[in-house]
Amino acid sequence: MVITVLSGGTGTPKLLQGLKRVVNNEKLSVIVNTGEDTWIGDLYLSPDVDTVLYTLADLINEDTWYGVKGDTFYTHEQLKNLGFDEVLKIGDKDRALKMHKTYYIRRGYKLSEIVDMEREALKIKAKVIPMTDDRVETKILANVDGKIDLLKFHDFWVKRKGDVDVLDVIYENCLYAKPCEKSLESLEKSDLVIIGPSNPITSIGPILSLKGIREILKDKKVVVVSPIVGNSAVSGPAGKLMKVKGYEVSIRGVYEFYKDIVDILVVDNTDKELAKELPCEVLITNTIMKTLEDKVRLAKNIIEFSGNL
């Protein structure tokens, strides 16, 4: 069984911790959002890709779902002493991975080529594929102190903690960027596609905005795990941004966002009554992943329900 997962940087990596323990990792591929990629000084950041790499290598800092567990921050602190504030607290081991990306990007390598080097170095058997080798930037159109501004996602979420009046979300350059060939090949070969419980608007939306992705998914068995429980997001700004894009903050809104591609929607027990209204197959289970046992159980439930175990 060949499985492809579409992932952002928080909710879906938790599910990946379960999936990597119940499926053949050599037949598992993860297509990762790069809409939040950015530069800080001379350092290239691909935050969602790095989180997926660290998750699959069992290195992720689960307190922040960013960076390496047990990392030190000597370089970050020294830069601050010198007057350069990175805003994002980058650890020393994490910085090494980012320096590796930066070195090869400046020498003309494709991001997908670099990530494959890192995947092999970290001894990850699953494939990790950036959604594109081209530039796509998720921008937040917002009212900031009475002025309309177009913010980078890093500025919106890390620097400002999402505390602005959001007017719209834009995937800059998505009409011209091409999906990685490996991502298209992975989807074509897949028996099952799982869209994890990441933010639909800023984590999965950029992937789906690329030409050809939705078209392939319409012919595949697609399972979507809802990041919304009740009337709020499990984590992050998903609820706020869904409202901005005109979607109800509920499993109804999640269904509407994915309605042209979803075959099975996975929802939490909390939403079992509302789930009866949805015009697709529904798996009702516990979707809150607090422990490794929760993550493994949810992964097994999804595979079994999909008829592919």
Side-chain angles (χ1 to χ4, degrees), residues 117-285:
M117 288 186 229
E118 295 170 347
R119 176 188 69 81
E120 291 184 358
L122 292 170
K123 297 179 172 55
I124 296 169
K125 292 182 179 179
K127 296 289 188 294
V128 179
I129 308 166
M131 69 182 198
T132 181
D133 287 317
D134 298 325
R135 182 187 69 84
V136 173
E137 285 191 75
T138 299
K139 298 284 186 71
I140 308 297
L141 185 67
N143 187 330
V144 183
D145 300 325
K147 295 182 180 179
I148 305 302
D149 200 359
L150 195 58
L151 306 175
K152 289 178 176 286
F153 187 83
H154 182 86
D155 189 3
F156 163 72
W157 188 240
V158 179
K159 183 178 180 180
R160 301 174 187 272
K161 312 298 182 188
D163 188 22
V164 295
D165 181 15
V166 178
L167 305 175
D168 202 358
V169 181
I170 297 161
Y171 311 133
E172 193 173 84
N173 202 49
C174 70
L175 296 179
Y176 306 100
K178 296 178 180 178
C180 284
E181 283 299 319
K182 287 184 179 179
S183 67
L184 296 176
E185 291 170 6
S186 174
L187 290 172
E188 290 285 9
K189 293 177 181 176
S190 293
D191 301 306
L192 178 66
V193 177
I194 300 173
I195 298 179
S198 293
N199 187 325
I201 308 302
T202 56
S203 293
I204 306 301
I207 303 175
L208 299 180
S209 75
L210 296 172
K211 187 177 181 181
I213 298 291
R214 279 187 180 269
E215 286 70 24
I216 295 174
L217 292 178
K218 287 175 183 177
D219 294 326
K220 294 292 175 179
K221 180 179 283 188
V222 177
V223 177
V224 174
V225 184
S226 175
I228 304 296
V229 174
N231 297 113
S232 61
V234 176
S235 65
K240 180 175 187 174
L241 299 181
M242 284 179 69
K243 278 184 182 178
V244 167
K245 297 300 284 185
Y247 296 98
E248 180 181 319
V249 184
S250 70
I251 59 171
R252 272 194 297 252
V254 175
Y255 170 78
E256 283 298 318
F257 184 81
Y258 292 113
K259 65 181 179 181
D260 61 327
I261 57 174
V262 62
D263 295 299
I264 300 169
L265 186 62
V266 183
V267 306
D268 190 72
N269 293 317
T270 303
D271 291 309
K272 61 183 178 182
E273 289 303 316
L274 186 57
K276 295 175 183 177
E277 301 177 13
L278 300 178
C280 68
E281 284 193 75
V282 178
L283 168 59
I284 302 169
T285 184

Side-chain angles (χ1 to χ4, degrees), residues 51-63:
T51 293
V52 168
L53 287 170
Y54 292 145
T55 298
L56 293 172
D58 294 325
L59 295 172
I60 190 69
N61 178 352
E62 293 188 39
D63 292 330

